[in-house]
């Protein structure tokens, strides 16, 4: 996980509140990704970024937004948290489009009550 | 739509007992097949990328192979420290990001 820091590591929030998760990298990688991991589903892509201010939707983007104002930071916002968004969220970075594998952060465990 | 199916879901082996994990995939224009290792409470750790059928890569006790429909992760004489969940993922020609399988949970008993 060297070079990628996710914060917070754990969070409990109430239904209907906005939540922002942060991913910070020191690798100077162009590509950044947000995935969620749930039992029975594996890792699923939420949003990704291919440069500063350049973002796009992934497979499960509904209810999520992202922003990338600097190369090193990629923020994931749950606009109005729901219980279905209880999950472990992973940030990943890549120098190219995954050809050499992503580097993943340690994850944020989010519980929505 | 790209799809990845891993089998078995779980595998328990004795130390030194070699075996293989399977990853079957359907993808439009394979750009790469990836293997990751994930330990409990941690993010996935990159192991291998395979690009074309017939390609093989090795790392310590692990060897990954690729055909046009599946990939195998062979584990030779495993040790307890090889216990982890092994994830397979693909990137297709029209895809952004990777499509992951659900993983194989491997336990190596001493």
């Amino acid at each position: 996980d060297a070079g990628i820091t996710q914060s917070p590591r754990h969070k409990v929030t109430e239904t209907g509140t906005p939540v922002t998760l942060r991913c910070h990298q020191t690798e100077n990688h162009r590509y950044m990704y947000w995935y969620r991991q749930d039992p029975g589903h594996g890792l699923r892509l939420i949003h990704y970024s291919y440069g500063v201010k350049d973002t796009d939707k992934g497979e499960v983007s509904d209810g999520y937004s992202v922003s990338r104002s600097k190369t090193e930071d990629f923020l994931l916002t749950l606009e109005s948290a729901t219980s279905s968004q209880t999950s472990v969220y992973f940030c990943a970075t890549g120098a190219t489009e995954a050809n050499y594998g992503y580097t993943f952060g340690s994850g944020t465990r989010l519980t929505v009550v | 739509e790209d799809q990845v199916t891993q089998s078995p879901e779980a595998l328990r082996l004795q130390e030194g007992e070699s075996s293989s994990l399977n990853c079957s995939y359907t993808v439009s224009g394979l750009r790469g097949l990836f293997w990751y290792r994930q330990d409990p409470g941690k993010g996935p750790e990159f192991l291998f990328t395979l690009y074309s059928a017939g390609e093989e890569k090795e790392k310590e006790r692990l060897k990954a192979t690729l055909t046009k429909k599946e990939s195998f992760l062979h584990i030779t004489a495993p040790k307890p420290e090889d216990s982890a969940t092994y994830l397979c993922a693909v990137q297709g020609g029209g895809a952004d990001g990777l499509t992951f399988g659900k993983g194989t949970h491997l336990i190596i008993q001493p």
Side-chain angles (χ1 to χ4, degrees), chain A residues 1-24:
Chain A
D1 295 350
I4 299 177
T5 304
Q6 290 187 233
S7 59
R9 289 297 313 277
H10 302 273
K11 186 171 181 67
V12 180
T13 192
E14 293 186 349
T15 298
T17 60
V19 177
T20 296
L21 309 183
R22 181 179 183 240
C23 177
H24 178 78

Side-chain angles (χ1 to χ4, degrees), chain A residues 29-95:
Chain A
H29 284 169
R30 175 183 177 188
Y31 295 88
M32 297 186 75
Y33 306 84
W34 277 108
Y35 282 86
R36 61 178 289 176
Q37 187 173 39
D38 305 288
H41 286 278
L43 284 154
R44 292 179 290 174
L45 181 65
I46 305 171
H47 280 281
Y48 67 99
S49 170
Y50 44 96
V52 173
K53 297 187 179 180
D54 292 323
T55 65
D56 208 343
K57 297 178 180 180
E59 176 189 357
V60 290
S61 61
D62 287 349
Y64 302 94
S65 62
V66 290
S67 65
R68 191 170 178 199
S69 59
K70 298 184 290 184
T71 298
E72 56 267 35
D73 290 326
F74 194 31
L75 303 180
L76 176 70
T77 297
L78 287 66
E79 295 145 9
S80 177
T82 68
S83 59
S84 65
Q85 293 176 311
T86 292
S87 186
V88 180
Y89 292 86
F90 287 101
C91 173
T93 71

